[in-house]
Amino acid sequence: MTTFLDRINAGLRHCLEKSADVYLLGEDILDPYGGAFKVARGLSTDYPERVITTPVSEAGIVGLGVGMALRGLRPVVEIMFGDFLTLAADQLINHAAKFRWMSNDQVRVPLVVRTPMGGYRGYGPTHSQTLEKHFLGAAGLRVLALNTYVAPEQVLIQAILEDDDPVLLVEHKLLYPLSTFSPGREFEMHKVSGAYPWSIVGIAGAPRADLTLAAYGYMAEIGREVMHKLAYEKEIFAELVVPTQLSPFDLEPFYESVRKTGKILAIEEGSLNLGWSAELAARSLENIRSNVRFGRAAARNMPVPAAATLEQEVLPQVDEIVELALGMMER
Amino acid sequence: MTTFLDRINAGLRHCLEKSADVYLLGEDILDPYGGAFKVARGLSTDYPERVITTPVSEAGIVGLGVGMALRGLRPVVEIMFGDFLTLAADQLINHAAKFRWMSNDQVRVPLVVRTPMGGYRGYGPTHSQTLEKHFLGAAGLRVLALNTYVAPEQVLIQAILEDDDPVLLVEHKLLYPLSTFSPGREFEMHKVSGAYPWSIVGIAGAPRADLTLAAYGYMAEIGREVMHKLAYEKEIFAELVVPTQLSPFDLEPFYESVRKTGKILAIEEGSLNLGWSAELAARSLENIRSNVRFGRAAARNMPVPAAATLEQEVLPQVDEIVELALGMMER
Amino acid sequence: MKSTPADSYRAMLRIRRFEEKVLELFPRGLFYGTTHTYIGQEANAVGVLNWLDKSDIVVSNHRCHGHFLAYGGSMHALAAELMGRSTGVCGGRGGSQHIQWRNFYANGILGGTIPLATGMAFALREREPGAVVFAFMGDGTLGEGVVYESLNMASLWNLPVLFICENNRYAQSTPIALNLAGDIAARFGAFGITAKHIDSTEVQQIGEETERLVSHVRKGKGPQALIIDTYRFAPHSKGDDVRDPDEIAHFQQRDPLIMIRSAVKTGEIDDVETEVTAEVDAAFEQAQSDPMATPSDITPALGASA
Amino acid sequence: MKSTPADSYRAMLRIRRFEEKVLELFPRGLFYGTTHTYIGQEANAVGVLNWLDKSDIVVSNHRCHGHFLAYGGSMHALAAELMGRSTGVCGGRGGSQHIQWRNFYANGILGGTIPLATGMAFALREREPGAVVFAFMGDGTLGEGVVYESLNMASLWNLPVLFICENNRYAQSTPIALNLAGDIAARFGAFGITAKHIDSTEVQQIGEETERLVSHVRKGKGPQALIIDTYRFAPHSKGDDVRDPDEIAHFQQRDPLIMIRSAVKTGEIDDVETEVTAEVDAAFEQAQSDPMATPSDITPALGASA
Ligand SMILES: Cc1ncc(C[n+]2csc(CCOP(=O)(O)OP(=O)(O)O)c2C)c(N)n1
Ligand SMILES: Cc1ncc(C[n+]2csc(CCOP(=O)(O)OP(=O)(O)O)c2C)c(N)n1
Ligand SMILES: [Mg+2]
Ligand SMILES: [Mg+2]
């Protein structure tokens, strides 16, 4: 069975195959190791000149990628753990994101920075974080999050071969072993197409949803479980809206759902304050006239602990989200 | 006349005087130069051992400060321009903010990182930004913004001498030449006390406000102008709520105002997406039952250009904010 | 040396057996998360930290178990931390890479620890003259720019820090030749920091070099660096080894435990073995029977004034 | 040299007079924001970039006017950029520190430009063998860690980049002795990059050294570094000078313009002077009469697929 990771790998391979401008750079990405999470496996064997293992220099390799991109190449830089993005923050926010506009559109920065993000693995406070929220809203930087509702290879191909702007691509570690979602008999799904599609998932044959679950990345897996429980155990019917692009915020499909349901429960793995869904709340207030209810499930506002019992307490869990949902319906 | 800058300087001097644990570190802070914005002027002359000019190493000096703080000193690190905080992001988010909790509360990190932030000076894309939004919501990090409604020296003294957690202190460049606000005959003000107070400013003798203006730092100056224009030119009475602490989010005084007015217009200098006020929107929805209206004035979603005409277009201006306010009242 | 060969042997064996137990128990799902063992590098922690004084500080990295045990940390508390027990060094919050106890600080962000070590050395210079920061880093960590920002400040301000670079010839899966240009000692020298580069797994030799360097640092002569060419016998983390088995075997001939044995009486060797094995078993058994870390113990990320 | 002393003199004088005009006009509020002039360092840009080939790249920093003019950038477009006119090099978006035109790239974030330069060199190695990146940095910029991350990669991958370190002995207000430990050339050498360190304001000498180093780089012999001890005669930015006037006077005796004069015929000197003065006046007058940058020209930060 082809896993989500296999398909990311296939997407990278496709890009290397299609364009001689594509280069992969990252720590420990050479075969046989193929990177800490094995995403690059096999690629250095087949494209030895364009798959390059780098020193442990996150700022340096992202900056290198910006320079390569400014000169017409299409570099893909892997940051081994998303926790280390903080080291590349200057290169992403002050260089990659600004160059095009600042130069009066004389140049382009077709750079993709890929990184595995997230917890539930006990890796501890510096290897389990969900830090993308600190990069959302940076003008000139596109932030994407893979999810099982879209074909990961398509997202990679779009970002690497088609997108001329810098992209930060978040891949949750727990997605790698999964396979992409298919509605089967229990669920139904429709897509809102676009360069980076939204997916709207519901319970097959369910009545009109009266709760919108908004989640991205791995939280969209949790969200589906929540939706399922709500339907089969509580007879509450929700609709799950899943973006692929987190920033900038193009939220039409989300609004559409909220206009129907009037209730939003956002699920985020990052700590509560000022995550992705805060902007959803702000824009709902700005764009949806009628009164909406809004709630958030997120990590507790502290580092992600290593111990299983503590990590479980700090990171969002299905059952507590179900409780939150019930609370919102009662209001 | 003592300027806001003089009072920041006095606050630093007081801390150096009161505690031998206090050290100031930063680029070019020695006399006679006294730092790029002269905030440290005179201090190295009087405390030569504890006012230290550093190499141009933003990550290094913040990390140095974390190490000093872990060992019982109370370092105050100046980052010359807030735009360079991106270089210290790892030290702030992955080290300073985590150490206490991660160590099971065995250690403390009484570090203060001060930095001048903001635009309207034509310094261009890498010297005019409002980047604090990227640091808000980081668990374990307190983010403050000085404003003319509080005594700056008091905020500094609290952060430097009393606060055992890491603090990022934002000082808008345009505040330096001002003096602190006094209500005079036209305005009235009350404070919500606490370690880092809120200020609630209104028009003297005005009827009950029906709009809440939420702003911090220099935007709270703009906010006051907007409030004044609304009152004297449009007979719309607003109330300006000004926090000193941006993160974590303790918003009671804000809720109180919104419960009265039901309408929020937030003013931010940073680019629109996912700034401080997005969390205000989210929490208003979570905590205020009744329907609220919400709007935001912010910078356009692009870098801050150098040219005067362009910078003026990109950064928020009083008149456009007044228009926004009018729009909100009409709804 | 302060300590006898037997002492050093015991100290190294404690690390070796502890780490072997970790690797043995991992597949059984007793831990959660990840780990990086010190097997093969024991002579560094033991030889270097043999010269630690009471008020000295140790700054360690992701591969911290050996440093922690040599520092005097509790074997049981470390085992408990790895197992996420409330009795762990950090109550289970930190886990394998984030160990903090007394003057010992470890962190999993490579390089980020070096400015911290430099800042701590600054504090020592101001408050505890004569005390020293021992800052460990690996060869791969030399890729991080903040390391050089720190070397510059440490040298500029003559701070009491000894940088120990454990060159085990690999960064995770990557041989140093693919990671590092130029010369390691020269990288310290360029910042005015004298660096001694040795290729040794002999705990005595490492101790002697350390003694000399540390005495300079204590005397206020500024930072010094010790670069030790070494080798790790186990995988980078667990089961992720891609190195040539012959290469590993070659270096195992220089196993630090073998090197020291000759200097230890045979009788002692057996006694130490029994003793340490018992200690390790006890530590892990106790840890296993300790309560899991309890959510109710969780405190906020910010203190009172939050 | 490719160019005659008279050419070099003209090239340097164009920078000198341009920058003098900037400092003269600043107080009149014709500009907005800040600026960093190149006065005193002209021999570096002119001597070094004299060896620039068509497909070469220049990466500059906050003090970029001199580099840009020596690169061949339009004096009028630069003046217009400083004045925020729509005819500016970047339409007024970038301003003094952010100049981008053809293969010239400047940025105001110190050090952040060095990995960019390294990445561009990577692209040249792949696409335009023989072409070279000229990367300028100041002495103070050696404080930034990412510089060393870049030196390591440039050396490791044998990239065609020439690093030019203009050591004007100060970072803003801070003398190098308070900022920098060790030795500048050694900082490059430690990463396997040969560095030539000269103390010179003679454009010919700087040119000759550059010619030698660049030819190595073009031949694929990997990165090289040229360190030039120099001095700036004007304030760091404007009116923020705290240096000893005697020190400034001392270095002014070695004014690069004086050094070259002897090699230029007196007649030519006067001709060049008249010519350049006229060019500078015309550039600023035209810029002043150009339209201000117009908000309606603003494009989004992200392209179509946004
Ligand atoms: C900033 C950062 N980048 C990458 C990693 C992932 N990582 C963990 S250990 C390691 C290799 C470190 O090599 P070295 O410094 O030689 O130490 P060793 O593992 O060999 O003891 C890497 C890349 C990390 N923990 N931190
Ligand atoms: C990352 C960063 N930190 C600090 C600054 C502020 N700054 C601008 S120029 C300068 C001094 C630079 O010194 P040097 O590299 O020697 O160049 P010089 O000005 O002497 O030409 C400083 C600190 C900056 N622009 N970028
Ligand atoms: Mg190693
Ligand atoms: Mg300089």
Side-chain angles (χ1 to χ4, degrees), chain A residues 157-297:
Chain A
I157 291 166
Q158 172 68 27
I160 297 169
L161 298 182
E162 303 302 326
D163 203 320
D164 282 343
D165 291 308
V167 169
L168 173 58
L169 177 64
V170 176
E171 305 170 356
H172 196 291
K173 302 175 185 98
L174 295 192
L175 293 179
Y176 291 145
L178 304 180
S179 51
T180 51
F181 170 78
S182 68
R185 278 208 264 74
E186 289 189 313
F187 297 98
E188 59 190 24
M189 168 165 76
H190 77 271
K191 285 238 175 339
V192 181
S193 59
Y196 302 107
W198 281 77
S199 309
I200 318 299
V201 187
I203 300 291
R208 190 168 170 293
D210 43 26
L211 173 64
T212 298
L213 293 169
Y216 65 84
Y218 180 69
M219 289 302 104
E221 298 300 296
I222 302 254
R224 192 177 68 244
E225 278 188 65
V226 169
M227 181 170 66
H228 192 271
K229 273 196 171 200
L230 285 172
Y232 286 83
E233 295 174 18
K234 315 287 179 185
E235 293 200 356
I236 292 171
F237 298 99
E239 173 170 80
L240 175 66
V241 298
V242 184
T244 303
Q245 174 172 305
L246 307 185
S247 180
F249 292 79
D250 301 331
L251 302 181
E252 210 27 68
F254 164 76
Y255 297 146
E256 219 171 279
S257 175
V258 177
R259 286 197 195 93
K260 285 186 306 194
T261 66
K263 300 186 204 63
I264 306 156
L265 177 54
I267 309 171
E268 291 194 75
E269 183 176 334
S271 62
L272 181 70
N273 298 331
L274 208 55
W276 170 73
S277 64
E279 184 66 22
L280 267 55
R283 291 185 174 226
S284 298
L285 278 169
E286 289 165 333
N287 297 295
I288 297 173
R289 286 281 166 279
S290 61
N291 195 355
V292 298
R293 289 188 200 167
F294 175 82
R296 290 178 290 181

Side-chain angles (χ1 to χ4, degrees), chain B residues 58 84, chain D residues 62-63 108 110 138-141 144 168 170-172 236:
Chain B
E58 289 76 13
F84 314 147
Chain D
H62 62 291
R63 202 173 297 286
L110 296 176
D139 50 293
T141 302
E144 296 291 352
N168 61 10
Y170 285 86
Q172 201 145 336
H236 166 69

Side-chain angles (χ1 to χ4, degrees), chain A residues 20-21 23 25 49 52-55 57-61 63-64 66-68 70-71 73 90-91 94-95 99-107 139-142 158 163-166 195-196 245 248 250, chain D residues 55 57 88-91 93-94 98 100-103 105-107 109 111-113 115-116 118-120 122-128 146 149-150 152-153 156-157 159 298-306:
Chain A
D21 294 336
Y23 288 73
L25 301 110
E49 276 74 34
I52 293 143
T53 193
T54 71
S57 312
E58 289 76 12
I61 62 179
L64 186 95
V66 176
M68 291 167 72
L70 280 166
R71 299 302 303 181
L73 302 182
D90 184 65
Q91 284 299 327
N94 278 334
H95 296 277
F99 238 110
R100 174 202 181 132
W101 194 91
M102 192 166 74
S103 75
N104 210 18
D105 299 325
Q106 295 176 84
V107 302
L141 179 67
R142 189 186 313 281
Q158 172 68 27
D163 203 320
D164 282 343
D165 291 308
Y196 302 107
Q245 174 172 305
D250 301 331
Chain D
S55 48
I57 293 171
V89 185
C90 296
R93 291 183 185 182
H98 312 97
Q100 204 285 316
W101 180 68
R102 296 199 178 156
N103 286 1
Y105 307 81
N107 192 287
I109 301 282
T113 52
L116 301 186
T118 307
M120 292 179 184
F122 189 107
L124 288 185
R125 191 195 69 183
E126 299 294 289
R127 291 283 181 272
E128 299 174 73
V146 76
E149 298 186 0
S150 307
N152 188 44
M153 293 187 287
L156 203 52
W157 300 328
L159 302 180
I298 290 184
T299 52
L302 280 172
S305 39

Side-chain angles (χ1 to χ4, degrees), chain D residues 238-256:
Chain D
K238 24 183 185 66
D240 59 347
D241 210 337
V242 294
R243 297 169 304 172
D244 174 356
D246 296 348
E247 181 184 287
I248 301 176
H250 161 76
F251 282 104
Q252 275 172 328
Q253 291 164 14
R254 286 181 26 184
D255 184 330

